[in-house]
Amino acid sequence: MSAVAPSSAAAAPAALPSARAPARRDAAARALAPRVVLGLYVMFLLVPIYWLVNMSLKTNLEISSGMTLWPEAPTLDNYRRIFTDASWYSGYINSLKFVVLNTAISLGVALPAAYAFSRYRFLGDKHLFFWLLSNRMAPPAVFALPFFQLYSAVGLFDTPWAVALAHCVFNIPLAVWILEGFMSGVPREIDETAAIDGWSFPAFFVRLFLPLVAGGVGVAAFFCFMFSWVELLLARTLTTVDAKPITATMTRTVSAAGMDWGLLAAAGTLTIVPGAVVIWFVRNHIARGFALGRV
Amino acid sequence: MAKPRDDRAWLLVLPVVALVAFSALIPVMTVVNYSVQDSFGNNEFFWNGTGWFKELLDPSTDLGGRFFDALWRTLLFSALCLLIEIPLGIGVALSMPRQGWGVSASLVVLALPLLIPWNVVGTIWQVFARRDIGLLGAAVNGLGVDYNYAQDPLDAWITVVAMDVWHWTSLVALLCYAGLRSIPDAYYQAARVDGAGAWAVFRAIQLPKMQRVLTIAVLLRFMDSFMIYTEPFVVTGGGPGNATTFLSIDLVKIALGQFDLGKAAAMSIVYNLIVLAVCWVFFATTTRRESEAAR
C-alpha cells in the first residue's frame, strides 16, 4: 500500500484519464512518466554531491592516481585534519557566529516592520517597500568596496558584526517580504478583538500574534540563515584573520604541492551538513516558505 | 476591507529603515562620490564630473568595450538560465508526489543545493567536471568528446550554465510546487468530468494558478543570475580568456584588483540601475495585477 498509493496519487494531475485515450497501457505509461522525470532530476542533483563526498574519503594519492567510483581505501584523514587544525575549524565557528547574529538582527527589526506593512497604510509605504526590496536587488559586488571602507572606519572590520550587518542589506528586505505575506493571512479582526479586550500592543504582539505567524517566522529565519550561510563575496571582503568564515578558508587550499583536493572536498562536505539539518527541521513549511507566504 | 491609514506605523518601520540606511545608503553615497572623481592615489581626489560615465557607455573606449562585452555575456547567461530553469522547474514540480513519504523526501533533496555555500557549489562542479579527477569530465572525454572547461570557451559556458541549472532549478520547482498545492481538488474533478486531457488541465488550471509564484521565480532567478559572481569565479575564474567574465567578476576585478575606484563606481551605478529598472517593471506589473484581482 505504502509504495503504490502515493505515486499513483502523485500522477493524478498529469494522468487524468482522457476521453480520447481509452487504452489502459497509455494511462500506465503516463503514470510512470512523472516518476521517471523526478528520478532523473534527483540523480542529476545527487551525483555531483556524491562525487564530492567520495573524494573527501580518498587520499590525494588515490585521487590523482586514477578514477574510482568509490574510495578503495576509505580514510577519514581529511576530516581529522579539519577538526584538529584551529585555522580550519575556527572557520566554521566564525561562519555560524555571523549567521546567527544576522538571523537574530534581521528578524528582530523585520517583525514590527512587517506588521506595519501588513496592517496599515502610511505615508510613502509603497515607495518604502520597493526601496527595501531594491536592496535585495543590489549586486553584492557593488557593495564590496564601500563596505570595506565603512566597516574599517567604524572599527568593525574583521569581526562577525561586520558580516552580520552587511548581510542585513539583503536579508532584512527578504524577511520583511516573507513575514508581510504570512501576517496578511491572519485576519485583522483578531487585532481589533484583542484591543477591545484591553490587551496592550506589545503584549498582544508577543503573546497572541507571534504564535499565529510562528510558521512564517520559522520560514523567514530559514531564509536569513540560508542567504547568510551561502554568501562568500562580502564575508571574504570584510574579514582577514579573526573572523574569517569557512568559505573563505576554503579558497586557500592551494599549497606548494598543488591543490589539496581531498581536504577541499572534506571541507565542502562539512559545509553541506548545517544546511541539510536546517532543511530537515523546516521541511513541512518549505514549499509555502519558498512562495514567500503568498500562496 | 481596506487597510486603515495610520502614520504612526512609521515607528514600527523605523528600526528597519535605520539599519538598512546605515548598511545601504552610506555605501551607495560612497559609490556616487567616487563615480564623479578621479584619483592618482595617495587619497587625493579631484572632480571628474560625468567623465567615467561617458567612457563607460561609449563602446569604442577600453572601459566601455569591456563593460558592454561583460554586459552581453551576463544577459546571455541570464537568458539561458531562465529558458532552461523555468520549464524544467515546472516539469519537476508537476512530477512531484502530492502525498505520502515521497513529499518530504523530495522536498529535502530538492532544497539541498540551495543551502550549499556558493563557493562550495563552485568547488563541487570544479571537481565534478575536471577531465582528470572528475566523473563528468572523465565520462564525457571517455565517450570521445573533447571536453575541457578550462581551455575551451564553449565547454566553460556549458559547465557554468549546467552548474546554475543544478543550483537553482530547485527554487523554481519548489515555488511551482507551492502554487500547485493551492489548487483545490474540485478543479481537477471538474476537469475530469469535462474529459479534459493533461495538456488542457495544465493550460487551463495549473498554469494560471502558478502565475503568481512563477512571477516571483522569474524575478528571483533574473536578479540572482544577473548578479552571479562566486560560482563561475571558483570554477573558471572568468576564463578561459574573458569568456565567462560576467559583470560582477569584472567589477570586482576593477574595484578590488586594480583599485580603479572611479571606473568601478560608475560601473556599479549603471549595473545597479539596470537590475533596478528590470525589477521595477516586474514589481509594477505584478502589484497592478494583484490589485486588479483584489477589486
Side-chain angles (χ1 to χ4, degrees):
Chain A
M1 159 83 194
S2 63
V4 181
S7 57
S8 56
L16 283 178
S18 153
R20 273 155 294 154
R24 249 225 164 120
R25 200 141 39 100
D26 213 37
R30 248 193 266 157
L32 197 64
R35 301 172 77 181
V36 173
V37 171
L38 193 65
L40 284 176
Y41 184 69
V42 165
M43 262 184 63
F44 170 62
L45 287 187
L46 290 183
V47 169
I49 297 180
Y50 166 73
W51 198 248
L52 187 79
V53 177
N54 173 25
M55 286 224 329
S56 75
L57 297 172
K58 292 176 175 177
T59 61
N60 278 319
L61 187 68
E62 191 183 342
I63 291 171
S64 55
S65 62
M67 297 275 300
T68 45
L69 287 182
W70 50 86
E72 311 236 294
T75 167
L76 289 174
D77 269 357
N78 295 317
Y79 292 96
R80 201 169 294 134
R81 260 184 73 191
I82 288 172
F83 283 118
T84 50
D85 184 346
S87 67
W88 274 104
Y89 68 75
S90 66
Y92 285 99
I93 300 171
N94 290 335
S95 288
L96 286 174
K97 265 189 208 158
F98 70 69
V99 169
V100 170
L101 266 178
N102 171 270
T103 309
I105 299 174
S106 301
L107 284 184
V109 298
L111 274 169
Y115 182 80
F117 280 117
S118 88
R119 289 303 193 251
Y120 300 108
R121 283 185 303 127
F122 49 92
L123 186 66
D125 51 356
K126 288 202 176 101
H127 298 283
L128 187 64
F129 201 66
F130 184 71
W131 173 68
L132 277 178
L133 275 184
S134 74
N135 290 299
R136 173 66 180 76
M137 301 163 192
V142 170
F143 284 121
L145 182 68
F147 270 161
F148 174 77
Q149 294 173 321
L150 174 66
Y151 290 114
S152 301
V154 296
L156 287 175
F157 182 73
D158 203 18
T159 64
W161 286 95
V163 187
L165 286 173
H167 285 175
C168 280
V169 171
F170 47 79
N171 270 350
I172 288 181
L174 194 69
V176 172
W177 199 18
I178 296 173
L179 287 171
E180 195 265 337
F182 275 90
M183 287 179 179
S184 297
V186 177
R188 208 169 318 128
E189 285 76 9
I190 290 179
D191 308 33
E192 286 153 12
T193 317
I196 293 166
D197 286 351
W199 287 76
S200 71
F201 177 72
F204 154 74
F205 192 77
V206 175
R207 291 176 52 197
L208 275 186
F209 192 72
L210 273 190
L212 287 176
V213 290
V217 176
V219 169
F222 169 77
F223 270 81
C224 290
F225 178 94
M226 162 174 157
F227 280 110
S228 186
W229 176 253
V230 298
E231 209 276 340
L232 167 76
L233 179 58
L234 292 178
R236 193 186 57 184
T237 311
L238 294 177
T239 56
T240 46
V241 186
D242 294 339
K244 193 161 79 170
I246 181 60
T247 44
T249 315
M250 280 184 63
T251 56
R252 288 156 211 181
T253 46
V254 192
S255 68
M259 285 293 272
D260 194 341
W261 291 113
L263 192 64
L264 186 68
T269 308
L270 287 177
T271 64
I272 301 177
V273 175
V277 172
V278 171
I279 296 172
W280 183 253
F281 280 117
V282 297
R283 65 187 183 282
N284 293 325
H285 297 286
I286 226 171
R288 184 160 179 233
F290 274 96
L292 310 176
R294 278 175 176 68
V295 172
Chain B
M1 189 168 66
K3 287 189 256 186
R5 161 127 197 178
D6 191 342
D7 283 334
R8 284 177 304 172
W10 259 98
L11 291 175
L12 297 171
V13 191
L14 210 56
V16 162
V17 174
L19 205 59
V20 176
F22 172 76
S23 289
L25 275 190
I26 297 176
V28 168
M29 288 325 293
T30 321
V31 172
V32 172
N33 190 21
Y34 281 138
S35 73
V36 291
Q37 300 190 74
D38 196 359
S39 159
F40 288 140
N42 300 331
N43 270 334
E44 285 174 46
F45 289 93
F46 35 92
W47 180 249
N48 191 28
T50 54
W52 294 126
F53 291 97
K54 282 185 185 139
E55 201 181 327
L56 188 74
L57 297 176
D58 179 1
S60 61
T61 63
D62 258 7
L63 180 68
R66 188 174 164 176
F67 172 71
F68 278 98
D69 283 351
L71 178 62
W72 298 136
R73 274 195 288 266
T74 315
L75 282 173
L76 178 65
F77 178 73
S78 286
L80 282 175
C81 288
L82 284 174
L83 281 177
I84 300 174
E85 287 166 22
I86 299 293
L88 184 63
I90 295 176
V92 170
L94 285 174
S95 32
M96 276 181 59
R98 307 181 85 218
Q99 53 195 12
W101 61 270
V103 179
S104 294
S106 44
L107 282 177
V108 170
V109 172
L110 249 63
L112 200 55
L114 303 173
L115 265 267
I116 298 177
W118 294 345
N119 67 318
V120 179
V121 171
T123 306
I124 288 176
W125 277 81
Q126 195 185 18
V127 297
F128 188 55
R130 273 177 73 104
R131 58 194 298 177
D132 53 347
I133 58 170
L135 183 63
L136 178 71
V140 171
N141 277 297
L143 291 173
V145 183
D146 187 30
Y147 166 84
N148 186 342
Y149 71 80
Q151 272 164 22
D152 186 87
L154 182 65
D155 292 349
W157 266 84
I158 294 172
T159 313
V160 174
V161 171
M163 173 172 67
D164 201 77
V165 170
W166 181 84
H167 191 181
W168 287 112
T169 304
S170 296
L171 181 74
V172 182
L174 288 169
L175 280 166
C176 293
Y177 178 71
L180 284 176
R181 280 221 312 202
S182 69
I183 304 176
D185 270 343
Y187 283 43
Y188 292 123
Q189 284 156 9
R192 204 171 310 156
V193 171
D194 289 346
W199 176 247
V201 170
F202 177 71
R203 281 298 308 276
I205 299 176
Q206 292 168 328
L207 198 57
K209 278 284 175 183
M210 280 195 289
Q211 203 178 26
R212 287 177 81 181
V213 284
L214 270 180
T215 319
I216 301 176
V218 172
L219 188 63
L220 284 176
R221 279 319 300 134
F222 170 76
M223 273 167 15
D224 289 341
S225 62
F226 200 72
M227 305 189 302
I228 194 167
Y229 170 81
T230 311
E231 300 96 311
F233 179 76
V234 172
V235 175
T236 65
N242 276 329
T244 53
T245 301
F246 301 120
L247 272 177
S248 278
I249 296 179
D250 213 20
L251 181 58
V252 172
K253 266 187 201 162
I254 297 177
L256 297 174
Q258 310 168 357
F259 241 71
D260 264 332
L261 298 182
K263 289 178 185 173
M267 194 164 158
S268 298
I269 290 174
V270 175
Y271 186 9
N272 209 341
L273 285 179
I274 296 172
V275 186
L276 268 183
V278 175
C279 294
W280 186 80
V281 171
F282 251 94
F283 189 77
T285 39
T286 35
T287 44
R288 184 173 318 138
R289 200 182 297 138
E290 276 177 18
S291 61
E292 270 167 17
R295 221 181 288 147

